[in-house]
């Protein structure tokens, strides 16, 4: 049946239209030419905007204030600990009320008949208990901004740069600011649970979700994730660290088993989570889709009970990823809450759980523990006690934060002959990458639609359908944030000095390059949740375009907007390479500021760029070409705990660009390395060094200290780092306290960390390969709890 003419099916009023949506009339939605197609009804963006903005504003205001209990109880005494308050409150609940807090819907028009009153389309919703003042959990994705799930709401938000860009700053302070920004926008939109941040290590270079995460090193990723979580929860909203654990690929993500021994798992992926949880104290942990050594992660007694709640004494609650609850057995194996229940085979945590409790198969005490963990986090983060802000979001201030993160996360990889920064008066050809429209962003549950104005309505540069075979193929549109690099370059160079070729035709691109003093090729690699990339090439023939343009103009600069590492067969032919990642809401301005020298590039790679797939631990990605996504497969990790740069060091491989690498428009010198045994609890070594700016302009550098050998033999591991801001001629000292777990081996049989007695040599460097001064320290044997 053909669609009715535009607007003819619209309800007479925006409020009526909103009621139809809330009543579940829509079971599917998509964007067509900027309009919203819902259940066969094509609406204008303005019509949908008026209706849903009014509804969201009212609901956000209502959500900001927890329900007032009929009889205020002693649990509202803020002088008591969160644990005691949770115990007092939980004891007042009935079994049905407890069960009701342990499962929730994906709050979208998918396999449900409508949403409960007061619920907006979002990632998730779990009802509260109004008679006792327990608020409903209103959950939103994700780490990089308040996401717009499946693009069903017309409200936008501020988009942070990709997680890899945040990691490339090597700045805990910027990670905190970004987390606080997202938390502020989430609370002002009426949410009290943020489903971020992500801390999975980059084991697989082709993983479609690498852009969400924070790189390949446990210390760097865990430190920055912890600060982002802390920033979010300081806004009195629960943050969720995810995806626990070793969720290293999207191919067959609901069926693949990560096969790895306990010791290397503890020394790598789990250590990153441990650092993040210790620093950020997230209210919730989200377990992952994949299996780990057989059992599903959300049904893993080892991960959830033994490691997380046992060894780490984690006090918060474990929620499943959406549709990742495999069975009722997950209750006894440590899962506390079933999320996105309509995606699972059964709502295990509702009637089946109640029947099991009443029948004695599951202890009532276990259900009480599950509820207490949720309540404790609500008390600990202030969700219960602090009225959430409802005023307008300061989008300008937040855009400034994202621009700063993007600027400091951009990595200058090559700069032959100091072609950068650009001199004034040059004729510039800008080629490809939809640079006339905006900057690329990553897809999936972390997708942020850019806010444009005080009403939060979204305005995006482009929706480009990509398609594919991934799990989220129905929303496989590459979305560009509407901050066009072309305009930002024109603003600096003068519009008459800049011309654009879209890059679709090699001949046109070459002609543009020949007519210019400088050619800038914008190259993009779009990644999305649910879908990995098959190899490290740039898609859609972009490598050929770059090679042809470089042959036509030796002053060719490549600006990469990628979700992970890419091969560069043209590297020796171009003058410059800039890795901009997915640079967020003000990404176009950030790129131009770096190219023209208004900002000195200071990003350093948080991941290794291999030369090609042959350097990867697993040259073939497990399950990528498996069409049956339910078929159980295994993914083996020959690198064990030697993730990323440690693999290259152990195998003697030279990558394209090493972990920690990044150039500047000035020069730095690092020296004065001093190392000694630690004197404080939890400190294996004390290390200090100096960083000097030996160039002619101000800049920022990241000093890095690596272990290079110990009693166990030669090994490379980041022990500490420090980012410093220096004027020309200035020098600063950086001090690092080394966590003993970074020097230890995990003994699975003894169930403890062991630091062997003997000599440990550390080296100072600007990346994992460029190591300079060394110092050797003798340490006594030490054991630590897991």
């Amino acid at each position: 049946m053909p669609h009715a003419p535009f607007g003819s099916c619209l309800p007479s009023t925006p409020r009526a239209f909103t009621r139809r949506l809330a009543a579940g009339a829509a079971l599917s939605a998509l964007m067509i030419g900027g309009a919203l197609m819902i259940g066969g009804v094509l609406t204008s963006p303005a019509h949908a905007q008026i209706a849903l903005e009014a509804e969201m504003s009212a609901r956000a205001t209502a959500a900001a204030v927890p329900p007032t209990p009929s009889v205020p109880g002693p649990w509202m005494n803020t002088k008591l600990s969160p644990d005691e308050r949770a115990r007092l409150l939980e004891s007042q609940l009935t079994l049905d009320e407890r069960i009701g807090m342990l499962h929730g819907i994906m709050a979208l028009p998918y396999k449900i008949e409508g949403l409960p009153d007061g619920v907006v389309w979002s990632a998730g919703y779990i009802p509260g208990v109004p008679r006792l003042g327990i608020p409903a959990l209103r959950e939103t994705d994700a780490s990089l901004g308040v996401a717009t799930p499946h693009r069903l709401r017309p409200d936008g938000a501020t988009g942070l740069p990709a997680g890899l860009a945040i990691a490339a700053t090597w700045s805990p302070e910027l990670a905190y600011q970004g987390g606080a920004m997202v938390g502020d926008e989430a609370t002002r939109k009426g949410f009290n649970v943020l489903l971020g941040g992500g801390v999975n290590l980059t084991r697989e270079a082709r993983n479609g979700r690498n852009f969400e995460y924070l790189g390949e090193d446990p210390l760097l990723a865990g430190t920055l994730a912890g600060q982002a979580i802390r920033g979010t929860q300081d806004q009195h909203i629960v943050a969720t660290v995810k995806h626990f654990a070793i969720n290293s690929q999207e191919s067959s993500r609901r069926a693949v088993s990560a096969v790895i021994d306990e010791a290397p798992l503890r020394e790598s992926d789990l250590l990153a989570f441990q650092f993040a949880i210790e620093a950020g104290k997230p209210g919730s942990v989200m377990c992952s889709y994949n299996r780990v050594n057989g059992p599903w992660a959300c049904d893993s007694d080892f991960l959830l009970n033994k490691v997380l709640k046992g060894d780490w004494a984690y006090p918060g609650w474990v929620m499943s990823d959406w549709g990742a609850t495999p069975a009722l057995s997950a209750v006894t194996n440590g899962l506390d809450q079933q999320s996105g229940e309509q995606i699972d085979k059964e709502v295990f945590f509702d009637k089946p759980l109640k029947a099991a409790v009443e029948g004695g198969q599951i202890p009532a005490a276990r259900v009480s523990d599950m509820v207490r963990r949720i309540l404790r986090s609500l008390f600990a983060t202030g969700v219960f006690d602090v009225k959430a802000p409802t005023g307008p979001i300061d989008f300008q201030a937040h855009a400034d934060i994202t621009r700063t993160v993007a600027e400091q996360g951009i990595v200058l990889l090559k700069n032959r002959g100091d072609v950068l920064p650009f001199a004034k008066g040059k004729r510039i050809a800008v080629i490809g990458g939809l640079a006339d429209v905006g900057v690329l962003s990553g897809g999936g549950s972390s997708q942020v639609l850019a806010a444009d104005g005080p009403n939060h309505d979204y305005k995006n540069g482009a929706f480009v359908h990509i398609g594919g075979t991934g799990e989220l193929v129905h929303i496989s549109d590459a979305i560009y944030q509407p901050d066009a690099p072309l305009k930002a370059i024109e603003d600096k160079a003068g519009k008459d000095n800049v011309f654009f070729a879209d890059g679709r035709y090699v001949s046109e691109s070459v002609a543009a390059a020949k007519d210019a003093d400088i050619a800038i090729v914008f190259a993009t690699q779009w990644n999305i949740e649910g879908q990995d990339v098959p190899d490290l090439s740039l898609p859609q023939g972009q490598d050929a375009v770059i090679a042809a343009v470089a042959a036509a103009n030796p002053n060719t600069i490549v600006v990469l907007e990628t979700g992970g590492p890419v091969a560069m067969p043209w590297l020796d032919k171009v003058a410059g390479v800039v890795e901009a990642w997915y640079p967020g809401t003000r990404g176009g301005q950030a790129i131009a500021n770096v190219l023209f020298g208004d900002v000195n590039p200071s990003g350093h790679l948080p991941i290794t760029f291999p030369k090609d797939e042959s350097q990867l631990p697993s040259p073939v990605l497990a399950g990528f070409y498996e069409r049956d996504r339910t078929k159980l497969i295994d993914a083996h990790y020959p690198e064990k705990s030697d993730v990323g740069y440690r693999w290259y060091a152990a195998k003697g491989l030279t990558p394209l660009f090493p972990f920690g690498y990044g150039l500047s428009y000035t020069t730095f010198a690092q020296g004065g390395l001093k190392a000694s045994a630690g004197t404080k609890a939890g400190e294996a070594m004390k290390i200090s060094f100096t960083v000097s700016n030996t160039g002619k302009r101000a800049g920022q550098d990241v000093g890095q200290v690596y272990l290079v050998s110990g009693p166990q033999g030669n090994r490379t591991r980041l022990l500490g780092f420090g980012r410093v801001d220096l004027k020309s001629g200035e020098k600063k000292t950086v001090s690092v306290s080394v966590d003993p777990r970074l020097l230890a081996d995990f003994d699975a049989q003894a169930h403890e960390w062991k630091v062997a007695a003997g000599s440990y040599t550390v080296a100072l460097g600007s990346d994992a390969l460029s190591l300079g001064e060394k110092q050797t320290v003798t340490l006594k044997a030490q054991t630590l709890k897991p």
Side-chain angles (χ1 to χ4, degrees):
M1 178 178 177
H3 296 302
F6 181 82
S8 64
C9 292
L10 293 177
S12 57
T13 67
R15 183 64 61 185
F17 174 67
T18 303
R19 283 199 299 269
R20 284 187 57 177
L21 301 183
L27 294 180
S28 63
L30 67 158
M31 295 298 300
I32 299 178
L36 186 65
M37 173 64 70
I38 306 178
V41 177
L42 187 62
T43 77
S44 71
H47 196 100
Q49 169 66 31
I50 295 169
L52 289 184
E53 269 301 330
E55 189 77 0
M56 286 193 66
S57 177
R59 291 178 178 183
T61 301
V65 184
T68 302
S70 55
V71 180
W75 54 85
M76 295 308 293
N77 181 357
T78 57
K79 294 182 180 180
L80 299 177
S81 70
D83 295 279
E84 179 62 14
R85 296 177 71 184
R87 186 191 66 79
L88 290 168
L89 178 52
E90 188 277 332
S91 68
Q92 303 300 308
L93 293 167
T94 67
L95 178 59
D96 284 338
E97 289 170 335
R98 292 184 177 98
I99 296 292
M101 294 180 61
L102 302 180
H103 63 95
I105 59 171
M106 179 173 67
L108 295 175
Y110 176 73
K111 292 186 178 181
I112 55 176
E113 289 298 322
L115 301 181
D117 291 341
V119 180
V120 297
W121 287 345
S122 62
Y125 174 81
I126 295 93
V129 183
R131 75 176 184 90
L132 294 173
I134 300 175
L137 301 185
R138 294 175 169 86
E139 302 170 323
T140 181
D141 286 310
S143 310
L144 306 179
V146 180
T148 303
H150 296 238
R151 306 197 298 275
L152 291 179
R153 292 196 323 261
D155 65 308
T158 307
L160 280 171
L164 286 176
I166 298 170
T169 70
W170 292 59
S171 171
E173 294 78 15
L174 285 178
Y176 177 91
Q177 290 178 30
M181 182 209 80
V182 178
D184 178 75
E185 293 196 6
T187 57
R188 290 178 189 275
K189 288 175 177 285
F191 297 105
N192 55 19
V193 178
L194 181 75
L195 304 176
V199 72
N200 295 98
L201 295 186
T202 307
R203 277 185 177 269
E204 173 49 66
R206 295 156 294 196
N207 180 9
R209 298 190 81 171
N210 282 337
F211 74 89
E212 295 184 42
Y213 304 137
L214 296 165
E216 66 191 29
D217 180 75
L219 176 63
L220 179 63
T223 299
L224 269 60
Q227 292 308 307
I229 290 165
R230 191 171 67 86
T232 294
Q233 292 196 157
D234 279 354
Q235 313 312 306
H236 308 297
I237 179 173
V238 173
T240 301
V241 67
K242 63 184 185 183
H243 303 87
F244 193 69
I246 200 163
N247 187 187
S248 298
Q249 65 180 72
E250 293 299 281
S251 300
S252 299
R253 67 176 181 171
R254 296 176 185 269
V256 67
S257 179
V259 180
I260 186 171
D261 290 339
E262 179 180 356
L265 181 57
R266 294 262 195 175
E267 294 165 8
S268 54
D269 301 72
L270 292 186
L271 188 56
F273 275 95
Q274 196 169 5
F275 285 149
I277 290 170
E278 289 170 355
K281 298 178 174 56
S284 183
V285 170
M286 183 190 294
C287 51
S288 55
Y289 287 120
N290 56 285
R291 298 178 296 130
V292 179
N293 293 320
W296 270 270
C298 290
D299 196 14
S300 172
D301 177 66
F302 168 74
L303 284 178
L304 305 185
N305 285 333
K306 290 185 170 61
V307 174
L308 182 65
K309 296 179 179 179
D311 295 338
W312 301 352
Y314 175 68
W317 89 90
V318 180
M319 64 169 69
S320 73
D321 206 337
W322 269 228
T325 304
L328 184 59
S329 58
V331 171
T332 54
N333 285 329
L335 182 63
D336 300 308
Q337 192 175 68
Q338 181 178 7
S339 309
E341 62 185 32
Q342 71 265 42
I343 312 175
D344 286 315
K345 294 179 180 178
E346 188 176 352
V347 186
F348 300 106
F349 283 33
D350 189 9
K351 293 178 182 179
L353 175 56
K354 182 179 180 182
V357 173
E358 292 177 335
Q361 291 85 24
I362 293 178
R366 169 61 183 133
V367 173
S368 291
D369 172 65
M370 297 159 77
V371 173
R372 279 197 298 270
R373 288 174 173 277
I374 297 171
L375 294 175
R376 184 205 181 277
S377 292
L378 297 182
F379 284 123
T381 55
V383 170
F384 247 101
D385 304 313
V386 180
K387 180 179 178 181
T390 56
I393 294 171
D394 190 342
F395 284 112
Q396 182 57 55
H398 289 179
D400 290 342
I401 291 173
T402 66
R403 190 197 68 247
T404 299
V405 173
E407 290 169 347
Q408 298 196 21
I410 288 173
V411 183
L412 179 60
L413 296 175
K414 182 175 182 179
N415 191 19
R416 185 180 67 204
D418 292 332
V419 65
L420 293 171
F422 293 148
K424 300 294 184 181
K426 298 292 186 180
R427 286 173 51 79
I428 301 173
V430 177
I431 300 168
L434 288 183
D436 58 329
V437 173
V439 289
L440 191 57
S441 59
S445 60
S446 67
Q447 180 69 67
V448 178
L449 299 182
D452 182 40
N455 292 326
H456 309 195
D457 51 311
Y458 70 74
K459 178 182 180 182
N460 284 274
F463 289 65
V464 180
H465 184 66
I466 303 294
T469 58
E471 188 175 320
L472 301 181
V473 65
H474 57 292
I475 54 169
S476 291
D477 287 353
I479 296 177
Y480 284 73
Q481 302 287 351
D483 191 48
L486 177 62
K487 183 181 184 304
I489 291 169
E490 289 175 342
D491 289 345
K492 293 182 181 297
K495 194 168 185 178
D496 292 341
N497 291 325
V498 181
F499 43 97
F500 178 71
D502 61 26
R504 290 185 299 148
Y505 294 96
V506 173
S507 59
E508 182 185 23
S509 302
V510 167
K514 286 181 176 179
D515 198 32
D517 299 313
I518 295 167
I520 311 173
V521 182
F522 282 82
T524 61
Q525 175 213 47
W526 181 67
N527 285 358
I528 183 175
E529 175 186 350
Q531 187 170 322
D532 296 324
V533 298
D535 56 49
L536 300 180
S537 67
L538 288 169
Q540 299 171 311
Q542 294 176 90
D543 285 322
V545 173
I546 294 170
V549 168
N553 189 325
N555 293 323
T556 293
I557 310 297
V558 178
V559 176
L560 295 168
E561 296 174 28
T562 70
V566 292
M568 304 180 198
W570 33 260
L571 181 61
D572 61 342
K573 300 176 183 177
V574 301
V577 181
V578 174
E579 176 58 82
W581 315 105
Y582 302 149
T585 291
R586 291 292 180 267
Q589 296 174 35
I591 291 170
N593 286 343
V594 168
L595 293 178
F596 284 86
D598 299 303
V599 170
N600 194 344
S602 57
H604 288 253
L605 290 180
I607 53 175
T608 304
F609 275 50
K611 291 180 179 178
D612 53 41
E613 293 80 7
S614 69
Q615 290 190 323
L616 299 177
S618 300
V620 177
L621 176 57
F624 183 84
Y625 292 105
E626 177 57 60
R627 301 309 176 196
D628 180 3
R629 298 190 185 96
T630 65
K631 180 181 178 181
L632 301 183
I633 63 173
D634 291 342
H636 296 270
Y637 298 100
E639 70 274 23
K640 299 181 180 179
S641 63
D642 289 335
V643 181
Y645 65 92
R646 300 186 69 196
W647 165 262
Y648 290 82
K651 296 299 180 181
L653 299 172
T654 300
L656 190 66
F657 292 105
F659 173 84
Y661 181 85
L663 301 176
S664 171
Y665 296 152
T666 189
T667 56
F668 299 97
Q670 300 176 355
L673 178 65
K674 297 179 181 179
S676 61
T679 57
K680 301 178 182 178
E683 179 185 65
M685 284 188 198
K686 295 187 296 183
I687 298 175
S688 65
F689 57 89
T690 61
V691 181
S692 304
N693 185 341
T694 57
K696 297 180 180 180
R697 59 177 295 169
Q700 295 173 314
D701 193 26
V702 177
Q704 305 159 39
V705 179
Y706 293 85
L707 173 70
V708 293
S709 68
Q712 308 92 333
N714 293 334
R715 57 171 60 184
T716 301
R717 165 150 257 177
L718 181 69
L719 299 181
F721 59 92
R723 182 182 176 102
V724 290
D725 192 342
L726 299 170
K727 299 175 184 177
S728 176
E730 189 177 9
K731 176 190 296 187
K732 288 184 179 179
T733 298
V734 177
S735 297
V736 171
S737 178
V738 178
D739 190 297
R741 288 168 292 190
L742 295 172
L743 300 172
D745 290 320
F746 188 83
D747 187 329
Q749 186 172 359
H751 198 61
E752 61 187 9
W753 293 95
K754 290 185 176 179
V755 179
S759 297
Y760 292 79
T761 300
V762 300
L764 175 64
S766 56
D767 60 61
L769 281 182
S770 304
L771 301 177
E773 289 186 16
K774 296 180 180 179
Q775 286 277 302
T776 298
V777 178
T778 300
L779 299 179
K780 297 179 180 178
Q782 183 181 7
T783 60
L784 301 108
K785 295 180 180 180

